[in-house]
């Protein structure tokens, strides 16, 4: 077999304060097996230590809505930030950097060195299950905000892990599909945010995706894709950090090692180990590749303070440099999260200036809706963080409203597909008997709950048997729901009511069905006498490999009670009697989660019914959407005020009260396009066909597709109102003097554009100034692309001038034939305004080339020199 080419030689030669010359010598003293051992995690979250290298264990934690920690501290909680899309909705890189610093402090509190964030995959389809975890549908906005988050984390000594590299943009069959993308689209759209962040912020680690990539030349799982990992990320971009696998994503030894993967997670088991040692000894992988990986991991460890002087195995390691551990999170951190949320809240509609409300003129408020009673604070899956505190909408409004204002709360019907977990008062407790393979009881536990989700067991447990009694007292029809993962049998009073035989093991974790198993409904009619049912659930233990061995069982219950129609009628009466009605609708963990994509963009029918009925009863109705990803709002133009509050995190209620009562301006702008109809969505799903997701839309992602098709969305990309109005006065782009560079930079400097605008409204406000590049119409080209943005702030009546920067990369296209960036030339224009569809200012440019001495036109990588058209 051919021997792979050695690792880039420059890594060992680029010596800096990390003293890599000494490391090269230390690594050279280890034998091959010892070096390979360092390339697979030691545990679910920790990397191996190696005394002879002075290497201490580096610890990672999930993000990006907070820092969850490793789960080793029972009951540990943490700061729960708004979902990443809410951060992107601020369009404010300075605020994003501050949030990164907040995450870094939280990481240090939990002894975490690497935060698995930010996620900068693009929101290609609005039904993507992890849409809420992504920043934006736009590559420029995602790259700018992602770079800011990375800077905030790493300037405080905590590593960011940029993910998921690359084109892991949907959840359906995410561990198996191949993304088929042409080279230009890959470069200009899906690689673009990663490249900018690598260039501007230098992330210390990057996570390789579960999915695969077909770029027209090489088709392989991303972790085996040599062209993309080694060729682009490491060699071309000069990334000097560690490439880490997504958890349990690595399936092979030599192909992944040779492609550029540096670390297999989790551990201690995995496909490398002895198999990789054998591959090196057979000549399939050069040992220099292994040395390069070890050096990258040492570089990561040094950057987070986990390298000391070497010590002898078995001895006590030298103490790590002491660093002040941040005090427990408190009110200042809570206030920072509250600010991120208010700044990211988008005011979509505000007829007759209904908002902000004047608390001095309120006598009563009706707070209505399923999400008003039970807010959806964070998305499901690996982003989950047990919050240090949560402030719901009821508590937030009660705290903010004057004492003499009456607050009435009505649910208006459940919006859930599943029943809630059974009330512990209805259980005699569920007894868990842990059985060995021969049926011997090796452990027991009793829990007064119906939620036995991800119940971990020791290695000697083969089966778990849950037994208990369920008492149903109310007269009427009760519904029991049973949901289990893997192989199981549910017996109710000697009758088998549900069973499963799924032996896929770790796949149950990777698709998140262990968190949200499909359920079976069983109805029980209760008369005047309570009914007691004997329950037995037999569960075969699932081997989750690095995630451990576990069982999952959910017991849910819905008692007899009011119908949805009854609850809506109650809500209408409350709205009619109130001075203002606030209706909070949205999604929940059944809808938006890692592990699966949504079937559509619909809210439950009863939520639409509720909004229409309340708005008809009270003309002063404010609708708040509590959702991370787009949902269809067919009544949007029938309600006077409409707010989008995302998946808001722990400060939901306080932030909403701040906005409703005018204590803070909702200055957010949409980081994606909200469709008016399902049929308008450019990419309605991402379901693989024969194992392939074809990116057929090419460059036309999100708002670009709406512009190309001439479709009017419900609300366009970049849209958002506030407490004031703005008049755009003038824009100017000075003629720059830009030297030719090879290659064209992904970040850094660009064309400065100054914009003058006036706050024409009654209050101080914040405006997001947006610039879009338009070229003469050409087949296959976008109508316009986001080219730059900045935030302006001014008092009532004040005029201000701000400067935004259009990166030089914006004036280039990827040349498929020659495999390089090619400058655009000729006339174009910058359109400037407050959304992709509201662009009152126009700056004409004539793009030429600053060739520089000794260069000739048409050469590779010259900087274009945009000049204002005369």
């Amino acid at each position: 077999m051919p021997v792979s080419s050695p690792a880039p030689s420059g890594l060992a030669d680029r010596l800096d304060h990390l003293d890599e010359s000494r490391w090269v010598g230390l690594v050279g003293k280890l034998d091959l097996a010892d070096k390979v051992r360092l390339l697979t995690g030691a545990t679910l979250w920790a990397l191996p230590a190696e005394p002879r290298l002075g290497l201490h264990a580096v610890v990672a934690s999930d993000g990006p809505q907070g820092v969850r920690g490793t789960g080793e501290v029972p009951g540990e909680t943490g700061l729960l930030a708004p979902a990443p899309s809410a951060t992107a909705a601020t369009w404010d890189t300075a605020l994003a950097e501050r949030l990164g610093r907040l995450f870094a402090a939280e990481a240090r509190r939990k002894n975490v060195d690497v935060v698995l964030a930010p996620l900068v995959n693009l929101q290609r389809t609005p039904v993507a299950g992890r849409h809420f975890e992504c920043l934006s549908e736009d590559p420029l906005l995602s790259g700018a905000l992602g770079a800011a988050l990375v800077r905030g984390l790493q300037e405080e000594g905590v590593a960011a892990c940029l993910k998921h590299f690359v084109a892991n943009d949907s959840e359906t069959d995410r561990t198996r599909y191949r993304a088929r993308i042409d080279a230009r689209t890959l470069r200009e759209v899906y690689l673009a945010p990663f490249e900018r962040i690598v260039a501007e912020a230098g992330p210390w680690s990057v996570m390789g995706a579960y999915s695969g990539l077909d770029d027209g030349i090489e088709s392989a799982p991303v972790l085996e894709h040599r062209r993309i990992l080694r060729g682009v990320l490491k060699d071309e971009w000069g990334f000097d950090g560690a490439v880490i696998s997504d958890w349990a994503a690595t399936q092979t030894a030599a192909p992944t090692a040779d492609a550029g993967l540096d670390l297999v997670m989790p551990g201690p088991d995995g496909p490398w180990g002895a198999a990789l040692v054998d591959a090196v000894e057979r000549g399939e992988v050069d040992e220099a590749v292994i040395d390069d990986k070890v050096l990258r991991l040492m570089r990561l460890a040094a950057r987070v303070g986990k390298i000391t002087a070497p010590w002898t195995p078995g001895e006590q390691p030298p103490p790590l440099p002491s660093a002040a551990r941040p005090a427990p999170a408190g009110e200042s951190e809570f206030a920072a999260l509250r600010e991120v949320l208010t700044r990211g809240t988008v005011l979509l509609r505000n007829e007759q200036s209904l908002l902000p409300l004047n608390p001095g003129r309120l006598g009563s408020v009706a707070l209505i809706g399923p999400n008003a009673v039970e807010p959806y604070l964070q998305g499901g899956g690996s982003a989950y963080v047990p919050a240090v505190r949560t402030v719901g909408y009821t508590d937030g409004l009660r705290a903010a409203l004057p004492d003499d204002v009456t607050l009435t709360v009505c649910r208006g019907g459940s919006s859930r597909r599943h029943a809630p977990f059974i009330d512990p008062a209805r259980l005699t407790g569920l007894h868990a008997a842990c059985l060995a393979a021969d049926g011997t009881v090796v452990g027991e536990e009793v829990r007064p709950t119906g939620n036995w989700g991800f119940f971990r067991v020791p290695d000697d447990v083969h089966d778990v048997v849950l037994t208990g009694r369920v008492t149903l007292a109310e007269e009427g029809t009760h519904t029991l729901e049973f949901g289990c993962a893997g192989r199981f049998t549910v017996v109710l009073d000697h009758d088998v009511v549900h069973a499963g035989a799924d032996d896929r093991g770790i796949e149950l974790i990777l698709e998140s069905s262990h968190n949200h198993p499909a359920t079976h409904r069983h109805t029980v009619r209760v008369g005047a006498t309570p009914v007691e049912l004997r329950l037995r659930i037999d569960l075969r233990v699932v081997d989750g490999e690095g995630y451990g061995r576990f069982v999952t069982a959910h017991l849910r219950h819905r008692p007899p009670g009011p119908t949805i129609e009854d609850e809506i009628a109650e809500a209408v009466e409350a709205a009619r009697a109130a001075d203002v009605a606030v209706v909070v609708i949205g999604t929940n963990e059944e809808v938006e989660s890692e592990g699966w994509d949504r079937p559509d963009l619909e809210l439950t029918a009863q939520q639409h019914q509720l909004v229409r009925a309340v708005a008809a009863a009270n003309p002063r109705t404010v609708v708040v959407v509590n959702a991370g990803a787009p949902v269809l709002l067919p009544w949007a133009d029938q309600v006077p005020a409409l707010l989008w509050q995302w998946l808001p995190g722990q400060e939901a209620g306080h932030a909403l009260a701040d906005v409703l009562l005018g204590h803070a301006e909702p200055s957010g702008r949409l980081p994606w396009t909200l469709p008016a109809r399902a049929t308008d969505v450019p990419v309605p799903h991402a379901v693989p066909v024969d194992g392939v997701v074809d990116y057929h839309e090419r460059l036309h992602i999100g708002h670009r597709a709406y512009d190309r098709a001439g479709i009017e969305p419900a609300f366009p990309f970049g849209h958002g109102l506030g407490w004031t109005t703005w008049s755009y006065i003038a824009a100017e782009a000075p003629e720059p003097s830009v030297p030719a560079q090879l290659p064209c930079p992904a970040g850094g400097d660009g064309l400065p554009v100054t914009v003058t605008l006036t706050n024409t409204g009654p209050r101080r406000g914040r405006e997001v100034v947006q610039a879009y590049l338009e070229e003469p119409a050409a087949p296959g080209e976008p109508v316009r692309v986001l080219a730059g943005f900045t935030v302006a702030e001014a008092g009532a009546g004040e005029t201000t001038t701000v400067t935004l920067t259009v990166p030089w990369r914006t004036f280039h296209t990827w040349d498929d034939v020659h495999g390089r960036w090619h400058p655009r030339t000729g006339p174009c224009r910058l359109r400037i305004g407050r959304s992709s569809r509201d662009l009152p200012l126009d700056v004409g440019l004539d793009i030429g080339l600053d060739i520089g001495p000794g260069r000739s036109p048409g050469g590779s990588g010259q900087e274009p020199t945009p000049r204002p058209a005369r």
Side-chain angles (χ1 to χ4, degrees):
M1 292 186 179
V3 176
S4 60
S5 60
S9 60
L11 286 175
D13 299 330
R14 289 199 295 270
L15 306 180
D16 55 15
H17 68 284
L18 300 179
D19 194 15
E20 296 187 16
S21 57
R22 182 173 60 88
W23 297 350
V24 171
L26 292 172
V27 171
K29 295 178 182 179
L30 299 182
D31 63 29
L32 177 61
D34 286 335
K35 290 185 285 191
V36 168
R37 178 185 64 83
L38 299 177
L39 307 181
T40 297
T43 67
L44 182 60
W45 297 111
L47 279 59
E50 175 47 69
R52 291 167 291 180
L53 298 179
L55 178 64
H56 297 248
V58 173
V59 178
S61 169
D62 262 327
Q65 206 169 341
V67 182
R68 188 171 65 233
T70 61
E72 295 177 356
V73 179
E76 185 175 45
T77 60
L79 293 172
L80 176 60
S85 290
T87 302
T90 68
W91 291 59
D92 190 326
T93 55
L95 186 64
E97 189 168 327
R98 284 169 49 201
L99 183 61
R101 293 178 185 275
L102 195 69
F103 283 177
E106 182 78 341
R108 293 200 307 275
R109 289 185 193 100
K110 297 182 176 182
N111 295 316
V112 165
D113 306 303
V114 183
V115 177
L116 304 181
L119 191 161
V120 294
N121 297 115
L122 298 181
Q123 294 161 336
R124 175 176 178 256
T125 173
V127 299
R130 298 181 82 167
H131 191 287
F132 67 92
E133 277 191 79
C134 303
L135 290 163
S136 170
E137 69 183 19
D138 188 88
L140 185 139
L141 183 59
S142 294
L145 272 295
L149 287 164
V150 170
R151 284 194 299 271
L153 274 166
Q154 295 188 167
E155 287 176 3
E156 299 297 324
V158 175
C161 185
L162 194 61
K163 65 182 188 180
H164 306 93
F165 192 75
V166 59
N168 191 186
D169 307 308
S170 61
E171 292 295 281
T172 304
D173 289 338
R174 66 175 179 173
T175 63
R176 292 181 288 272
Y177 75 76
R178 301 276 171 97
R180 180 182 292 153
I181 314 176
D182 68 276
R184 183 182 172 195
T185 300
L186 182 62
R187 288 283 186 161
E188 294 188 21
V189 179
Y190 295 96
L191 283 174
F194 289 95
E195 184 179 10
R196 178 171 183 170
I197 295 167
V198 169
E200 288 190 355
W204 297 340
S205 62
V206 167
M207 180 184 290
Y210 285 120
S211 52
L213 176 66
D214 179 354
D215 63 1
I217 298 176
E218 181 178 352
S219 179
V222 166
L223 298 185
E224 298 178 14
H225 207 291
R226 199 172 190 275
R227 276 175 47 81
I228 203 72
L229 287 184
R230 189 187 287 193
V232 173
L233 178 62
K234 291 184 173 180
D235 292 352
E236 181 184 330
W237 296 354
F239 172 68
D240 69 353
V243 176
I244 301 173
S245 76
D246 206 337
W247 265 231
T250 314
Q251 300 300 313
T252 61
T256 52
D258 188 56
L261 180 65
D262 298 312
L263 176 68
V264 171
M265 289 297 289
D269 299 319
W272 280 11
L276 184 52
V277 172
D278 291 344
V280 174
E281 292 175 343
R282 290 195 303 268
E284 296 176 30
V285 178
D286 194 297
E287 190 166 354
V289 171
I290 305 301
D291 292 345
D292 173 60
K293 298 179 191 304
V294 176
L295 285 170
R296 287 174 181 272
L297 293 177
M298 292 186 70
R299 188 178 294 122
L300 171 63
R303 285 166 167 164
V304 299
K306 287 298 185 74
I307 292 282
T308 62
W311 70 94
T312 302
E315 294 182 350
Q316 285 293 109
L320 291 166
S322 60
R325 190 171 182 178
E331 290 300 327
S332 63
E333 287 83 3
F334 302 161
L337 297 181
R338 187 167 168 174
E339 181 185 3
V340 172
L341 182 54
T342 57
R343 293 271 300 276
T345 298
V346 183
L347 180 60
L348 295 172
R349 183 175 168 85
N350 191 24
E351 296 302 302
Q352 289 85 49
S353 298
L354 174 57
L355 293 178
L357 302 172
N358 184 342
R361 297 182 179 179
L362 289 176
S364 59
V365 175
L367 179 62
I368 294 166
N371 288 55
V373 174
E374 189 178 1
Y376 188 33
L377 303 180
Q378 58 180 316
S382 60
Y384 179 80
V385 176
V388 64
R389 79 171 190 184
T390 58
V391 182
Y393 295 125
T394 301
D395 291 341
L397 277 178
R398 284 195 194 280
L401 288 170
D403 292 340
D404 59 350
V405 177
T406 301
L407 179 65
T408 303
V409 181
C410 298
R411 185 174 70 164
S414 172
S415 62
R416 292 184 168 274
R417 178 166 56 92
H418 293 303
F421 286 109
I422 193 167
D423 183 345
R426 299 179 184 273
L427 290 171
T428 57
L430 280 182
H431 173 270
C434 299
L435 309 180
D438 63 359
T440 305
V441 176
V442 294
E444 295 180 276
E445 185 170 339
V446 176
R447 291 185 182 181
T449 177
N451 184 4
W452 290 71
F454 205 58
F455 176 57
R456 297 194 191 205
V457 298
D459 290 344
D460 60 345
V461 178
H462 189 262
D463 296 279
V464 174
V465 179
L466 303 179
T467 54
R469 293 178 181 269
V470 178
T471 301
L472 307 177
E474 300 94 327
E475 189 170 351
T477 300
H478 293 249
T479 301
L480 294 172
E481 286 186 39
F482 303 98
C484 304
R487 183 174 289 272
F488 62 88
T489 304
V490 179
V491 178
L492 202 60
D493 272 0
H494 306 293
D495 294 327
V496 176
V497 296
H498 191 28
D502 190 339
D503 294 320
R504 289 179 298 156
I506 196 169
E507 282 292 321
L508 300 176
I509 293 176
L510 299 183
E511 70 178 19
S512 287
S513 61
H514 72 297
N515 279 330
H516 303 285
T519 60
H520 170 78
R521 289 191 176 95
H522 182 82
T523 59
V524 179
R525 179 69 185 174
V526 176
T529 304
V531 172
E532 186 176 83
L533 303 169
R534 286 166 292 181
L535 174 66
R536 176 186 173 110
I537 305 176
D538 290 80
L539 301 156
R540 178 65 48 83
V541 171
V542 177
D543 184 357
E545 298 179 13
Y547 290 90
R549 295 164 56 79
F550 69 95
V551 295
T552 288
H554 291 175
L555 172 57
R556 300 171 178 271
H557 171 246
R558 181 174 286 114
T563 66
I564 286 176
E565 289 71 22
D566 293 336
E567 291 195 51
I568 290 177
E570 178 190 18
V572 166
E573 288 306 309
R576 186 175 288 120
D579 293 326
V580 65
V582 179
V583 185
V584 187
I585 58 170
T587 59
N588 53 56
E589 75 278 359
E590 299 173 355
V591 179
E592 295 190 76
S593 175
E594 177 183 2
W596 63 84
D597 297 319
R598 294 188 290 165
D600 52 47
L601 301 180
E602 292 291 346
L603 292 171
T604 54
Q606 71 87 6
Q607 293 189 77
H608 295 309
Q609 181 183 352
L610 176 66
V611 168
R612 289 187 171 108
V614 170
N618 190 330
R620 289 170 53 82
T621 292
V622 180
V623 177
V624 180
V625 183
N626 168 207
V631 294
L632 297 177
L633 307 176
W635 34 259
D637 59 354
Q638 301 166 28
V639 297
L642 180 60
L643 286 162
W644 198 286
Q645 217 215 8
W646 309 102
L647 305 184
Q650 67 178 56
E651 301 300 310
H654 285 326
L656 181 60
D658 287 343
V659 167
L660 291 176
L661 301 178
H663 303 320
E665 182 184 33
S667 56
R669 303 293 185 264
L670 288 178
W672 40 250
T673 306
L674 185 64
R677 295 166 295 275
T679 53
D680 293 343
V681 175
V683 182
H685 66 80
V687 177
V689 177
D690 297 327
V692 173
V693 175
D694 194 340
Y695 285 51
H696 53 78
E697 74 283 1
R698 296 173 64 88
L699 302 173
H700 305 285
I701 184 173
H703 60 96
R704 301 181 187 183
Y706 284 87
D707 290 340
R708 185 190 191 199
I711 294 173
E712 191 68 28
F715 296 99
F717 176 79
H719 172 73
L721 307 174
W723 295 153
T724 189
T725 54
W726 296 86
S727 176
Y728 281 68
I729 308 300
E732 182 179 359
E735 184 170 348
S737 176
V738 182
Q741 294 185 27
L742 294 171
C744 163
D749 294 334
L751 175 70
V753 181
T754 57
V755 182
T756 301
L757 63 165
T758 299
N759 179 346
T760 56
R763 297 181 54 155
R764 184 171 190 83
R766 186 178 288 109
E767 173 77 334
V768 176
V769 181
Q770 304 164 40
Y772 295 80
L773 180 68
E774 291 185 358
E775 291 188 289
E781 295 298 314
V783 173
R784 65 182 65 93
V785 298
L786 180 66
F789 62 90
T790 193
V791 176
E793 192 168 353
E798 290 182 357
T799 296
T800 186
T801 298
V802 294
T803 300
L804 60 85
T805 301
V806 179
W808 297 123
R809 176 60 63 78
T810 307
F811 300 104
H812 289 72
T813 61
W814 182 256
D815 183 343
D816 285 355
V817 176
H818 298 96
R820 66 191 184 196
W821 291 101
H822 187 274
R824 307 172 189 264
T825 56
C828 66
R829 57 182 182 166
L830 285 173
R831 300 281 306 281
I832 298 165
R834 54 192 335 272
S835 80
S836 63
R837 295 292 180 92
D838 184 359
L839 301 166
L841 298 183
D842 189 325
V843 177
L845 299 174
D846 182 12
I847 304 178
L849 288 178
D850 182 2
I851 303 300
R855 301 188 183 274
S856 59
S860 171
Q862 283 85 4
E863 288 295 343
T865 305
R867 294 182 290 273
R870 306 302 183 193

